[in-house]
Structures are given as C-alpha cells and as structure tokens.
C-alpha cells in the first residue's frame, strides 16, 4: 500500500486544518493508523492513532481536546482534524499504518509504511 498525506498549509494561531491520509493499492489493514509529526531539529513524535477494532482513538497530551482522528472506510482515508492550532504545532505531519500491539500505539517503530508527509506551519 502507498500512503499519501495532504492538507497541510500555512495558517494563523487559532485556525483549523484537516489533514487527510489516503491509501492506494489496497484498503487499510493491520491494526490501525496513526499520525506523527516532526518539527525541525526534533524527533518524530506521536500525535494520534485509531484502532480498527473497536474504533478506539489515542492522542498525545499536547493535542488532546484540539485534534480528532477519524476514518472514512468507503474512501479508504484517515483524517486528522486540527483545531485551535498553536505555533508549537508547526511540523511535518506523517501518517502510517500501525502493525503492533495496543501497547505500541505511540511507538513510531511499530508503524509501517509511512506517507510522505505534509507541512503544517502555524504563525503567531
């Protein structure tokens, strides 16, 4: 499967964006999908994940209450709705398939493959 993330852009603090992650080649499989982000000079960090079984969702504390992950099965697409954006949300955002057990949902090494990333820039 190939994953393509898009929807990023330049916005002001307080604005909203919706990122999309579309799969081509086959439908989403494995255990679920996740979003990660990487800011310049920093390590890639977990943002949100959704598990297919039960539809459970997981969020980093830094985005909880502001970001929402969701899935459109018919469109084979996973979304990340981002509200009340802050300058510290500026990063390249990546989507990836989760292949690990539940306890690894925040561990980037349990995700494969990865999309190419989309830049989100939030100005103050």
């Amino acid at each position: 499967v190939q994953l393509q993330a898009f929807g990023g852009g330049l916005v002001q603090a307080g604005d909203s964006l919706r990122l999309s992650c579309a799969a081509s080649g086959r439908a989403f499989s494995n255990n679920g999908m996740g979003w990660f982000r990487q800011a310049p000079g920093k390590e890639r960090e977990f943002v949100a994940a959704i598990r297919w079984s039960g539809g459970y969702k997981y969020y980093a504390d830094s985005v909880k209450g502001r970001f929402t992950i969701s899935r459109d099965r018919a469109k084979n697409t996973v979304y990340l709705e981002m509200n009340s954006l802050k300058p510290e949300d500026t990063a390249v955002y990546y989507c990836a398939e989760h292949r690990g057990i539940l306890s690894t949902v925040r561990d980037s090494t349990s995700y494969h493959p990865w999309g190419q990333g989309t830049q989100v820039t939030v100005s103050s």
Side-chain angles (χ1 to χ4, degrees):
V1 67
Q2 288 187 326
L3 303 178
Q4 183 177 2
F6 53 95
L10 172 62
V11 297
Q12 293 186 332
D15 285 351
S16 299
L17 275 176
R18 188 177 76 162
L19 305 184
S20 301
C21 178
S24 61
R26 60 164 168 79
F28 289 129
S29 62
N30 292 294
N31 299 323
M33 291 290 295
W35 286 94
F36 287 73
R37 66 187 182 187
Q38 187 166 19
K42 295 187 177 182
E43 294 187 353
R44 189 169 297 188
E45 65 173 356
F46 170 78
V47 175
I50 182 169
R51 299 272 290 182
W52 303 149
S53 177
Y56 295 107
K57 302 176 182 180
Y58 306 87
Y59 298 95
D61 288 343
S62 59
V63 307
K64 199 172 295 182
R66 300 188 297 122
F67 290 11
T68 302
I69 188 170
S70 62
R71 174 193 187 185
D72 186 326
R73 186 189 298 269
K75 294 184 178 180
N76 215 29
T77 299
V78 172
Y79 302 99
L80 184 67
E81 185 76 36
M82 305 185 296
N83 299 315
S84 302
L85 282 163
K86 304 176 181 179
E88 50 264 44
D89 294 320
T90 295
V92 177
Y93 284 70
Y94 300 88
C95 60
E97 284 196 317
H98 184 224
R99 293 173 175 262
I101 58 177
L102 179 57
S103 61
T104 67
V105 73
R106 291 176 172 80
D107 181 358
S108 63
T109 63
S110 65
Y111 286 79
H112 175 79
W114 292 80
Q116 87 286 3
T118 184
Q119 176 71 47
V120 173
T121 303
V122 184
S123 63
S124 57

